[in-house]
């Protein structure tokens, strides 16, 4: 799945991701920015994950993709209505009982599914 986005500088990843490039992003971003300036291109991210490189580059135009549909749904909803997602996540207590209850909601869709993804990612 893909998602077209643009971001402003200073945004940090809101997800944790195994194999993430958060540690490498500060070194990669200047190199990628030079290439984008020279080509007036679009930043393509085929393995979005936490988006560390994307957020570090902060391109004017980007195509973000990942095979994980729940991840793309989450970015879609965060772009569309970040306050709604933050409010839903904040409404869930950080307890073992709440964690397992939220985790069991396999039929969640839309904003609830996105908030569920963020909550589980940040509390697991």
């Amino acid at each position: 799945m893909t998602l077209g986005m643009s971001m402003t500088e200073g945004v940090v990843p809101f997800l944790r991701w195994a194999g993430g490039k958060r540690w490498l992003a500060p070194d990669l971003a200047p190199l990628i920015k030079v290439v984008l300036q020279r080509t007036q291109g679009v930043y393509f991210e085929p393995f979005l994950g936490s988006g560390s490189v994307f957020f570090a580059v902060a391109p004017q135009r980007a195509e973000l993709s990942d095979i994980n549909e729940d991840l793309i749904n989450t970015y879609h909803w965060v772009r569309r209505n970040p306050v709604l997602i933050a409010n839903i996540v904040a409404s869930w207590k950080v307890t073992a009982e709440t964690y397992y209850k939220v985790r069991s909601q396999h039929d969640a869709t839309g904003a609830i599914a996105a908030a569920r993804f963020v909550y589980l990612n940040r509390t697991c």
Side-chain angles (χ1 to χ4, degrees), residues 74-118:
T74 299
Y75 275 101
H76 167 79
W77 277 97
V78 167
R79 175 182 70 173
R80 184 175 178 187
N81 196 337
V83 173
L84 174 63
I85 301 305
N87 286 340
I88 295 170
V89 171
S91 74
W92 292 327
K93 294 178 182 177
V94 180
T95 64
E97 181 181 340
T98 303
Y99 173 83
Y100 288 113
K101 181 180 177 183
V102 171
R103 191 177 83 169
S104 71
Q105 297 173 346
H106 298 288
D107 58 349
T109 59
I112 298 295
R116 175 182 179 269
F117 191 88
V118 172

Side-chain angles (χ1 to χ4, degrees), residues 4-8 11 25 32 43 45 48 50-64 75:
M5 290 186 79
S6 63
M7 297 300 294
T8 59
V11 178
I32 294 170
Y43 175 79
E45 179 57 72
L48 181 56
S50 70
S52 294
V53 176
F54 165 70
F55 288 119
V57 172
Q60 291 296 316
R61 295 183 0 228
E63 288 293 323
L64 308 176
Y75 275 101

Side-chain angles (χ1 to χ4, degrees), residues 3-53:
L3 177 67
M5 290 186 79
S6 63
M7 297 300 294
T8 59
E9 291 193 54
V11 178
V12 296
F14 57 92
L15 296 173
R16 297 178 181 144
W17 210 257
K21 306 296 182 280
R22 190 176 298 220
W23 62 275
L24 186 58
D27 295 327
L28 287 177
L31 302 171
I32 294 170
K33 286 179 181 183
V34 168
V35 172
L36 289 176
Q37 288 172 351
R38 290 183 181 168
T39 63
Q40 297 178 347
V42 176
Y43 175 79
F44 287 91
E45 179 57 72
F47 308 107
L48 181 56
S50 70
S52 294
V53 176

